[in-house]
Amino acid sequence: MSPADGAASAVRAEAAASGPGTAVRRPSPLWTLSLFRSELTVTLRRWRTLALLGILAVLPVLIGIAVKIETGGGDGGGGGDGGEGPAFINQITNNGLFLVFTALAATLPFFLPMTVGVVAGDAVAGEASAGTLRYLLVAPAGRTRLLLAKFAALLVFCLLATLVVALSAVLVGAALFPLGDITLLSGVTVPLSEGLLRALAIAVAVAVSLVGLAALGLFVSTLTGSGIAAMSATVGLLITVQIVGAIPQLDVVHPYLFPYHWMSFADLLRAPVPWGDILANAGLQGVYAAVFGSAAWARFTTRDITS
Amino acid sequence: MDAPPTAGEPAVEARGLSKRFRGGQLAVDGLDLRVPRGSVFGFLGPNGSGKTTTIRMLLGLVTPTDGSAALLGRPMPADARRVLPKVGALIEGPALYGFLSGRDNLARFDAADPTADPATRRARIDAALDRVGLGAAARKHARTYSLGMKQRLGLAVALLQPRELLILDEPTNGLDPQGMREMRTLVRELAGDGTTVFLSSHLLDEVEQVCTHTAVMARGRLLAQGPVAELAAGARGRLVVTTPDAGDAASVLKEHGVTALSTEGDRVTGDPPTEPGTDLADLNAALVHAGVRVRSFGVENGSLEDAFVALTGEGFDVAG
């Protein structure tokens, strides 16, 4: 709507209104923000979301306790990735901060994306099956605006879910193990403060890794009127992609799968940081977001809302 | 309220509105609808007649396969952003977030309206809750609400802003008799404020009690529309004879072309003969001539129900 149109409609409304309180207000330039905030609040107040975040917070505790029990204070050695168990797990006993990297490496392949898949799949389909979608649309939220608000809320959720894991891991790591200067994978030792900054950067990199799946889930969510169907389809897709990614004979398609560069976040533990894979990951997630975001938009803006 | 500048335009207008769903089912077939401003419009039809699909098309939720719709003089769904803030709607029952309180539900739907001023949100929510009588339960989770309370909260959503048009799909569903009466009072009040109310219903007496205009829909087609009084008057009245000799009376009336006869105690009713030139006085004379003692003889005026049954061909149809 052009500003002139808006003014015209406000004038019309003023003329039609009987009192000062009844004028139709001109939409604020920040018209999407209020809906985005509402979207985020509603997402975070669902018990399902809270339960998923709760489990994410507990996982680092489990890993931390397991490592504490397993190693009677022995030196794990500088294994880095590979070897048995999640990456960095051998280093935790030396420095509790490594629990952050271990916890993210352990949850990124499945649990963290599953959480995102559930929330993304539910985003539109859940509202459709509850019937609230029709009331949002006649409010009128606007289909493009609603989808944008939902996608923005999903992005925030990706970051939030990752931060929950990271924060819980920092606290557990500090409680159970010594904290101190960090020896990076490239052998350089940096102070704890820089280690914490790198941990934050890793959390952001992991959150970015989830963007592609979030867009995919949002698209799936526009296809059906059943929240459960959309959630299970999205999580099913995640599992399928992870299986395909694990089959060496299919390596032709691997570079096009969204988890292909997921473990690149470990590069942030090198000095200097080799940015290649991290940027490739961001690029791949951006492509997924663009493709499936557009598909979701095309589908959602033309769909008949019959539920 | 002053007359709106667009008073000449109907509040709702549909031209040739049609919807064929994928799978080929024609839900709405060439609907021409005109709802005058300021009217209380009853949209009647049996379940499955296409009322809800029509309402969804009017509100831009479903895209018509053919024809056009306009609300408050503006095309839908093209002008949805400008029109819908002035339209409140209750569509196929309320839909709420069960894990949010009644008040938070209202805040959620209000946030979705880009014209809603967040600064007045609290006050408007309070006013809407008061208007539907839910003030006391506003802090309870919506999942604990009874169907009637949910219906009220759904109506409160429609009343968050001052509206020029209210579209209420089966607004009394799930309400107890007291709630239904309150709903009717509320509809009359809103109409008194100058709001056009478009309400769909399958309850004839409801429409007859509150509506000024009505339209009847069946199997996707519009069968009639107009002021309630005109439509009801169009229905043929029933001939009613009260007599102790009911059996004789029925056979005499049948000989004289009265159809759809039924006898209840001393009351014989039937459709008067349709041939032109038949005078009901002759029927009375014939009864008396045959020795039937007539206590009373007359025609009961057609009700909206008679009109509805005649139009849709549904309901009781006793062979004569």
Side-chain angles (χ1 to χ4, degrees), chain A residues 108-141:
Chain A
L108 182 54
F110 187 69
F111 202 84
L112 207 44
M114 188 199 80
T115 320
V116 171
V118 165
V119 174
D122 189 51
V124 176
E127 302 246 23
S129 52
T132 44
L133 184 60
R134 62 177 185 263
Y135 287 107
L136 292 176
L137 291 181
V138 303

PDB file of all heavy atoms in Angstrom, chain A residues 108-141:
ATOM      1  N   LEU A 108      23.940 -31.670  17.087  1.00  0.00           N
ATOM      2  CA  LEU A 108      23.717 -31.128  15.741  1.00  0.00           C
ATOM      3  C   LEU A 108      23.254 -32.166  14.721  1.00  0.00           C
ATOM      4  O   LEU A 108      22.397 -31.865  13.895  1.00  0.00           O
ATOM      5  CB  LEU A 108      24.976 -30.401  15.245  1.00  0.00           C
ATOM      6  CG  LEU A 108      24.849 -29.742  13.874  1.00  0.00           C
ATOM      7  CD1 LEU A 108      23.650 -28.808  13.812  1.00  0.00           C
ATOM      8  CD2 LEU A 108      26.106 -28.972  13.519  1.00  0.00           C
ATOM      9  N   PRO A 109      23.798 -33.376  14.747  1.00  0.00           N
ATOM     10  CA  PRO A 109      23.343 -34.305  13.700  1.00  0.00           C
ATOM     11  C   PRO A 109      21.864 -34.627  13.781  1.00  0.00           C
ATOM     12  O   PRO A 109      21.211 -34.841  12.774  1.00  0.00           O
ATOM     13  CB  PRO A 109      24.176 -35.563  13.947  1.00  0.00           C
ATOM     14  CG  PRO A 109      25.335 -35.097  14.734  1.00  0.00           C
ATOM     15  CD  PRO A 109      24.859 -33.953  15.558  1.00  0.00           C
ATOM     16  N   PHE A 110      21.319 -34.712  14.974  1.00  0.00           N
ATOM     17  CA  PHE A 110      19.924 -35.108  15.015  1.00  0.00           C
ATOM     18  C   PHE A 110      19.033 -34.307  15.950  1.00  0.00           C
ATOM     19  O   PHE A 110      18.019 -33.757  15.517  1.00  0.00           O
ATOM     20  CB  PHE A 110      19.798 -36.596  15.345  1.00  0.00           C
ATOM     21  CG  PHE A 110      18.380 -37.059  15.217  1.00  0.00           C
ATOM     22  CD1 PHE A 110      17.780 -37.128  13.964  1.00  0.00           C
ATOM     23  CD2 PHE A 110      17.629 -37.338  16.336  1.00  0.00           C
ATOM     24  CE1 PHE A 110      16.455 -37.492  13.827  1.00  0.00           C
ATOM     25  CE2 PHE A 110      16.293 -37.705  16.206  1.00  0.00           C
ATOM     26  CZ  PHE A 110      15.715 -37.790  14.952  1.00  0.00           C
ATOM     27  N   PHE A 111      19.393 -34.224  17.219  1.00  0.00           N
ATOM     28  CA  PHE A 111      18.399 -33.689  18.151  1.00  0.00           C
ATOM     29  C   PHE A 111      18.070 -32.220  17.919  1.00  0.00           C
ATOM     30  O   PHE A 111      16.910 -31.824  17.913  1.00  0.00           O
ATOM     31  CB  PHE A 111      18.809 -33.922  19.604  1.00  0.00           C
ATOM     32  CG  PHE A 111      17.623 -33.871  20.500  1.00  0.00           C
ATOM     33  CD1 PHE A 111      16.834 -35.000  20.680  1.00  0.00           C
ATOM     34  CD2 PHE A 111      17.216 -32.699  21.099  1.00  0.00           C
ATOM     35  CE1 PHE A 111      15.691 -34.948  21.454  1.00  0.00           C
ATOM     36  CE2 PHE A 111      16.073 -32.628  21.867  1.00  0.00           C
ATOM     37  CZ  PHE A 111      15.310 -33.775  22.050  1.00  0.00           C
ATOM     38  N   LEU A 112      19.116 -31.448  17.700  1.00  0.00           N
ATOM     39  CA  LEU A 112      18.897 -30.016  17.470  1.00  0.00           C
ATOM     40  C   LEU A 112      18.046 -29.780  16.205  1.00  0.00           C
ATOM     41  O   LEU A 112      17.033 -29.067  16.268  1.00  0.00           O
ATOM     42  CB  LEU A 112      20.270 -29.336  17.374  1.00  0.00           C
ATOM     43  CG  LEU A 112      20.411 -27.870  17.745  1.00  0.00           C
ATOM     44  CD1 LEU A 112      19.667 -27.526  19.021  1.00  0.00           C
ATOM     45  CD2 LEU A 112      21.891 -27.521  17.903  1.00  0.00           C
ATOM     46  N   PRO A 113      18.409 -30.392  15.057  1.00  0.00           N
ATOM     47  CA  PRO A 113      17.548 -30.195  13.874  1.00  0.00           C
ATOM     48  C   PRO A 113      16.154 -30.775  14.047  1.00  0.00           C
ATOM     49  O   PRO A 113      15.187 -30.233  13.503  1.00  0.00           O
ATOM     50  CB  PRO A 113      18.304 -30.896  12.747  1.00  0.00           C
ATOM     51  CG  PRO A 113      19.339 -31.712  13.391  1.00  0.00           C
ATOM     52  CD  PRO A 113      19.648 -31.107  14.716  1.00  0.00           C
ATOM     53  N   MET A 114      16.027 -31.857  14.831  1.00  0.00           N
ATOM     54  CA  MET A 114      14.697 -32.419  15.032  1.00  0.00           C
ATOM     55  C   MET A 114      13.804 -31.389  15.744  1.00  0.00           C
ATOM     56  O   MET A 114      12.642 -31.205  15.393  1.00  0.00           O
ATOM     57  CB  MET A 114      14.782 -33.694  15.857  1.00  0.00           C
ATOM     58  CG  MET A 114      13.459 -34.418  15.939  1.00  0.00           C
ATOM     59  SD  MET A 114      13.407 -35.577  17.299  1.00  0.00           S
ATOM     60  CE  MET A 114      13.079 -34.482  18.659  1.00  0.00           C
ATOM     61  N   THR A 115      14.385 -30.730  16.733  1.00  0.00           N
ATOM     62  CA  THR A 115      13.648 -29.682  17.446  1.00  0.00           C
ATOM     63  C   THR A 115      13.166 -28.612  16.468  1.00  0.00           C
ATOM     64  O   THR A 115      12.006 -28.205  16.494  1.00  0.00           O
ATOM     65  CB  THR A 115      14.575 -29.013  18.481  1.00  0.00           C
ATOM     66  OG1 THR A 115      15.360 -30.012  19.076  1.00  0.00           O
ATOM     67  CG2 THR A 115      13.813 -28.264  19.498  1.00  0.00           C
ATOM     68  N   VAL A 116      14.092 -28.188  15.592  1.00  0.00           N
ATOM     69  CA  VAL A 116      13.740 -27.164  14.611  1.00  0.00           C
ATOM     70  C   VAL A 116      12.671 -27.701  13.656  1.00  0.00           C
ATOM     71  O   VAL A 116      11.718 -26.997  13.312  1.00  0.00           O
ATOM     72  CB  VAL A 116      14.998 -26.700  13.844  1.00  0.00           C
ATOM     73  CG1 VAL A 116      14.619 -25.811  12.671  1.00  0.00           C
ATOM     74  CG2 VAL A 116      15.943 -25.978  14.785  1.00  0.00           C
ATOM     75  N   GLY A 117      12.822 -28.962  13.255  1.00  0.00           N
ATOM     76  CA  GLY A 117      11.850 -29.576  12.345  1.00  0.00           C
ATOM     77  C   GLY A 117      10.453 -29.602  12.950  1.00  0.00           C
ATOM     78  O   GLY A 117       9.467 -29.323  12.267  1.00  0.00           O
ATOM     79  N   VAL A 118      10.376 -29.924  14.231  1.00  0.00           N
ATOM     80  CA  VAL A 118       9.072 -29.983  14.898  1.00  0.00           C
ATOM     81  C   VAL A 118       8.436 -28.588  14.925  1.00  0.00           C
ATOM     82  O   VAL A 118       7.276 -28.412  14.553  1.00  0.00           O
ATOM     83  CB  VAL A 118       9.224 -30.541  16.335  1.00  0.00           C
ATOM     84  CG1 VAL A 118       7.974 -30.273  17.149  1.00  0.00           C
ATOM     85  CG2 VAL A 118       9.511 -32.029  16.280  1.00  0.00           C
ATOM     86  N   VAL A 119       9.217 -27.592  15.334  1.00  0.00           N
ATOM     87  CA  VAL A 119       8.655 -26.239  15.453  1.00  0.00           C
ATOM     88  C   VAL A 119       8.316 -25.673  14.067  1.00  0.00           C
ATOM     89  O   VAL A 119       7.263 -25.051  13.878  1.00  0.00           O
ATOM     90  CB  VAL A 119       9.635 -25.325  16.224  1.00  0.00           C
ATOM     91  CG1 VAL A 119       9.138 -23.890  16.231  1.00  0.00           C
ATOM     92  CG2 VAL A 119       9.803 -25.833  17.644  1.00  0.00           C
ATOM     93  N   ALA A 120       9.188 -25.929  13.074  1.00  0.00           N
ATOM     94  CA  ALA A 120       8.949 -25.409  11.722  1.00  0.00           C
ATOM     95  C   ALA A 120       7.743 -26.099  11.096  1.00  0.00           C
ATOM     96  O   ALA A 120       6.883 -25.453  10.488  1.00  0.00           O
ATOM     97  CB  ALA A 120      10.185 -25.608  10.853  1.00  0.00           C
ATOM     98  N   GLY A 121       7.663 -27.421  11.252  1.00  0.00           N
ATOM     99  CA  GLY A 121       6.555 -28.156  10.656  1.00  0.00           C
ATOM    100  C   GLY A 121       5.223 -27.714  11.224  1.00  0.00           C
ATOM    101  O   GLY A 121       4.207 -27.653  10.537  1.00  0.00           O
ATOM    102  N   ASP A 122       5.244 -27.374  12.505  1.00  0.00           N
ATOM    103  CA  ASP A 122       4.013 -26.982  13.175  1.00  0.00           C
ATOM    104  C   ASP A 122       3.598 -25.543  12.832  1.00  0.00           C
ATOM    105  O   ASP A 122       2.438 -25.175  12.996  1.00  0.00           O
ATOM    106  CB  ASP A 122       4.225 -27.115  14.688  1.00  0.00           C
ATOM    107  CG  ASP A 122       2.933 -26.943  15.466  1.00  0.00           C
ATOM    108  OD1 ASP A 122       1.961 -27.625  15.111  1.00  0.00           O
ATOM    109  OD2 ASP A 122       2.898 -26.127  16.392  1.00  0.00           O
ATOM    110  N   ALA A 123       4.552 -24.755  12.334  1.00  0.00           N
ATOM    111  CA  ALA A 123       4.343 -23.302  12.233  1.00  0.00           C
ATOM    112  C   ALA A 123       3.037 -22.909  11.549  1.00  0.00           C
ATOM    113  O   ALA A 123       2.241 -22.158  12.111  1.00  0.00           O
ATOM    114  CB  ALA A 123       5.527 -22.657  11.528  1.00  0.00           C
ATOM    115  N   VAL A 124       2.804 -23.410  10.347  1.00  0.00           N
ATOM    116  CA  VAL A 124       1.587 -23.048   9.619  1.00  0.00           C
ATOM    117  C   VAL A 124       0.533 -24.143   9.788  1.00  0.00           C
ATOM    118  O   VAL A 124      -0.631 -23.867  10.077  1.00  0.00           O
ATOM    119  CB  VAL A 124       1.885 -22.823   8.121  1.00  0.00           C
ATOM    120  CG1 VAL A 124       0.601 -22.552   7.361  1.00  0.00           C
ATOM    121  CG2 VAL A 124       2.864 -21.666   7.951  1.00  0.00           C
ATOM    122  N   ALA A 125       0.976 -25.399   9.642  1.00  0.00           N
ATOM    123  CA  ALA A 125       0.024 -26.509   9.679  1.00  0.00           C
ATOM    124  C   ALA A 125      -0.663 -26.610  11.043  1.00  0.00           C
ATOM    125  O   ALA A 125      -1.852 -26.924  11.112  1.00  0.00           O
ATOM    126  CB  ALA A 125       0.749 -27.810   9.347  1.00  0.00           C
ATOM    127  N   GLY A 126       0.078 -26.334  12.109  1.00  0.00           N
ATOM    128  CA  GLY A 126      -0.507 -26.402  13.446  1.00  0.00           C
ATOM    129  C   GLY A 126      -1.630 -25.386  13.606  1.00  0.00           C
ATOM    130  O   GLY A 126      -2.677 -25.680  14.164  1.00  0.00           O
ATOM    131  N   GLU A 127      -1.399 -24.192  13.074  1.00  0.00           N
ATOM    132  CA  GLU A 127      -2.435 -23.151  13.154  1.00  0.00           C
ATOM    133  C   GLU A 127      -3.609 -23.518  12.255  1.00  0.00           C
ATOM    134  O   GLU A 127      -4.755 -23.208  12.571  1.00  0.00           O
ATOM    135  CB  GLU A 127      -1.865 -21.792  12.726  1.00  0.00           C
ATOM    136  CG  GLU A 127      -0.683 -21.353  13.552  1.00  0.00           C
ATOM    137  CD  GLU A 127      -0.973 -20.117  14.389  1.00  0.00           C
ATOM    138  OE1 GLU A 127      -2.149 -19.851  14.680  1.00  0.00           O
ATOM    139  OE2 GLU A 127      -0.002 -19.437  14.745  1.00  0.00           O
ATOM    140  N   ALA A 128      -3.299 -24.165  11.128  1.00  0.00           N
ATOM    141  CA  ALA A 128      -4.383 -24.573  10.234  1.00  0.00           C
ATOM    142  C   ALA A 128      -5.242 -25.625  10.912  1.00  0.00           C
ATOM    143  O   ALA A 128      -6.476 -25.548  10.876  1.00  0.00           O
ATOM    144  CB  ALA A 128      -3.817 -25.101   8.914  1.00  0.00           C
ATOM    145  N   SER A 129      -4.620 -26.601  11.564  1.00  0.00           N
ATOM    146  CA  SER A 129      -5.433 -27.659  12.158  1.00  0.00           C
ATOM    147  C   SER A 129      -6.181 -27.143  13.384  1.00  0.00           C
ATOM    148  O   SER A 129      -7.275 -27.619  13.669  1.00  0.00           O
ATOM    149  CB  SER A 129      -4.609 -28.910  12.479  1.00  0.00           C
ATOM    150  OG  SER A 129      -3.489 -28.601  13.237  1.00  0.00           O
ATOM    151  N   ALA A 130      -5.623 -26.163  14.085  1.00  0.00           N
ATOM    152  CA  ALA A 130      -6.353 -25.597  15.228  1.00  0.00           C
ATOM    153  C   ALA A 130      -7.424 -24.619  14.758  1.00  0.00           C
ATOM    154  O   ALA A 130      -8.310 -24.251  15.528  1.00  0.00           O
ATOM    155  CB  ALA A 130      -5.382 -24.893  16.174  1.00  0.00           C
ATOM    156  N   GLY A 131      -7.343 -24.173  13.495  1.00  0.00           N
ATOM    157  CA  GLY A 131      -8.331 -23.237  12.970  1.00  0.00           C
ATOM    158  C   GLY A 131      -7.969 -21.787  13.220  1.00  0.00           C
ATOM    159  O   GLY A 131      -8.631 -20.880  12.712  1.00  0.00           O
ATOM    160  N   THR A 132      -6.905 -21.554  14.009  1.00  0.00           N
ATOM    161  CA  THR A 132      -6.532 -20.171  14.324  1.00  0.00           C
ATOM    162  C   THR A 132      -6.004 -19.445  13.090  1.00  0.00           C
ATOM    163  O   THR A 132      -6.052 -18.221  13.030  1.00  0.00           O
ATOM    164  CB  THR A 132      -5.469 -20.141  15.431  1.00  0.00           C
ATOM    165  OG1 THR A 132      -4.489 -21.134  15.139  1.00  0.00           O
ATOM    166  CG2 THR A 132      -6.075 -20.447  16.772  1.00  0.00           C
ATOM    167  N   LEU A 133      -5.538 -20.224  12.098  1.00  0.00           N
ATOM    168  CA  LEU A 133      -4.993 -19.611  10.881  1.00  0.00           C
ATOM    169  C   LEU A 133      -6.037 -18.724  10.207  1.00  0.00           C
ATOM    170  O   LEU A 133      -5.741 -17.614   9.759  1.00  0.00           O
ATOM    171  CB  LEU A 133      -4.518 -20.709   9.923  1.00  0.00           C
ATOM    172  CG  LEU A 133      -3.839 -20.250   8.648  1.00  0.00           C
ATOM    173  CD1 LEU A 133      -2.600 -19.426   8.958  1.00  0.00           C
ATOM    174  CD2 LEU A 133      -3.448 -21.443   7.783  1.00  0.00           C
ATOM    175  N   ARG A 134      -7.304 -19.198  10.134  1.00  0.00           N
ATOM    176  CA  ARG A 134      -8.323 -18.406   9.442  1.00  0.00           C
ATOM    177  C   ARG A 134      -8.572 -17.082  10.151  1.00  0.00           C
ATOM    178  O   ARG A 134      -8.801 -16.064   9.510  1.00  0.00           O
ATOM    179  CB  ARG A 134      -9.607 -19.203   9.255  1.00  0.00           C
ATOM    180  CG  ARG A 134     -10.298 -19.649  10.528  1.00  0.00           C
ATOM    181  CD  ARG A 134     -11.606 -20.382  10.213  1.00  0.00           C
ATOM    182  NE  ARG A 134     -12.341 -20.728  11.405  1.00  0.00           N
ATOM    183  CZ  ARG A 134     -12.312 -21.914  12.002  1.00  0.00           C
ATOM    184  NH1 ARG A 134     -11.565 -22.869  11.501  1.00  0.00           N
ATOM    185  NH2 ARG A 134     -13.014 -22.152  13.086  1.00  0.00           N
ATOM    186  N   TYR A 135      -8.504 -17.108  11.483  1.00  0.00           N
ATOM    187  CA  TYR A 135      -8.734 -15.857  12.215  1.00  0.00           C
ATOM    188  C   TYR A 135      -7.555 -14.900  12.082  1.00  0.00           C
ATOM    189  O   TYR A 135      -7.734 -13.688  12.062  1.00  0.00           O
ATOM    190  CB  TYR A 135      -9.046 -16.145  13.684  1.00  0.00           C
ATOM    191  CG  TYR A 135     -10.444 -16.714  13.832  1.00  0.00           C
ATOM    192  CD1 TYR A 135     -10.657 -18.046  14.116  1.00  0.00           C
ATOM    193  CD2 TYR A 135     -11.547 -15.898  13.635  1.00  0.00           C
ATOM    194  CE1 TYR A 135     -11.935 -18.566  14.217  1.00  0.00           C
ATOM    195  CE2 TYR A 135     -12.826 -16.398  13.729  1.00  0.00           C
ATOM    196  CZ  TYR A 135     -13.026 -17.732  14.018  1.00  0.00           C
ATOM    197  OH  TYR A 135     -14.281 -18.233  14.102  1.00  0.00           O
ATOM    198  N   LEU A 136      -6.329 -15.454  12.007  1.00  0.00           N
ATOM    199  CA  LEU A 136      -5.175 -14.580  11.775  1.00  0.00           C
ATOM    200  C   LEU A 136      -5.307 -13.923  10.403  1.00  0.00           C
ATOM    201  O   LEU A 136      -5.025 -12.739  10.236  1.00  0.00           O
ATOM    202  CB  LEU A 136      -3.871 -15.382  11.835  1.00  0.00           C
ATOM    203  CG  LEU A 136      -3.491 -15.931  13.211  1.00  0.00           C
ATOM    204  CD1 LEU A 136      -2.240 -16.786  13.097  1.00  0.00           C
ATOM    205  CD2 LEU A 136      -3.250 -14.798  14.188  1.00  0.00           C
ATOM    206  N   LEU A 137      -5.756 -14.700   9.412  1.00  0.00           N
ATOM    207  CA  LEU A 137      -5.817 -14.178   8.049  1.00  0.00           C
ATOM    208  C   LEU A 137      -6.940 -13.170   7.852  1.00  0.00           C
ATOM    209  O   LEU A 137      -6.807 -12.261   7.031  1.00  0.00           O
ATOM    210  CB  LEU A 137      -5.947 -15.330   7.036  1.00  0.00           C
ATOM    211  CG  LEU A 137      -4.691 -16.193   6.917  1.00  0.00           C
ATOM    212  CD1 LEU A 137      -4.879 -17.295   5.899  1.00  0.00           C
ATOM    213  CD2 LEU A 137      -3.478 -15.349   6.555  1.00  0.00           C
ATOM    214  N   VAL A 138      -8.042 -13.300   8.584  1.00  0.00           N
ATOM    215  CA  VAL A 138      -9.097 -12.296   8.416  1.00  0.00           C
ATOM    216  C   VAL A 138      -8.874 -11.111   9.355  1.00  0.00           C
ATOM    217  O   VAL A 138      -9.643 -10.159   9.332  1.00  0.00           O
ATOM    218  CB  VAL A 138     -10.533 -12.870   8.601  1.00  0.00           C
ATOM    219  CG1 VAL A 138     -10.768 -14.009   7.646  1.00  0.00           C
ATOM    220  CG2 VAL A 138     -10.780 -13.283  10.030  1.00  0.00           C
ATOM    221  N   ALA A 139      -7.816 -11.163  10.149  1.00  0.00           N
ATOM    222  CA  ALA A 139      -7.564 -10.071  11.130  1.00  0.00           C
ATOM    223  C   ALA A 139      -7.327  -8.688  10.509  1.00  0.00           C
ATOM    224  O   ALA A 139      -7.734  -7.708  11.118  1.00  0.00           O
ATOM    225  CB  ALA A 139      -6.414 -10.441  12.066  1.00  0.00           C
ATOM    226  N   PRO A 140      -6.648  -8.505   9.387  1.00  0.00           N
ATOM    227  CA  PRO A 140      -6.014  -9.445   8.465  1.00  0.00           C
ATOM    228  C   PRO A 140      -4.493  -9.396   8.611  1.00  0.00           C
ATOM    229  O   PRO A 140      -3.880  -8.353   8.434  1.00  0.00           O
ATOM    230  CB  PRO A 140      -6.403  -8.857   7.109  1.00  0.00           C
ATOM    231  CG  PRO A 140      -6.474  -7.371   7.364  1.00  0.00           C
ATOM    232  CD  PRO A 140      -6.690  -7.151   8.831  1.00  0.00           C
ATOM    233  N   ALA A 141      -3.899 -10.549   8.915  1.00  0.00           N
ATOM    234  CA  ALA A 141      -2.447 -10.580   9.082  1.00  0.00           C
ATOM    235  C   ALA A 141      -1.742 -10.384   7.736  1.00  0.00           C
ATOM    236  O   ALA A 141      -0.643  -9.851   7.697  1.00  0.00           O
ATOM    237  CB  ALA A 141      -2.030 -11.908   9.699  1.00  0.00           C
TER     238      ALA A 141
END
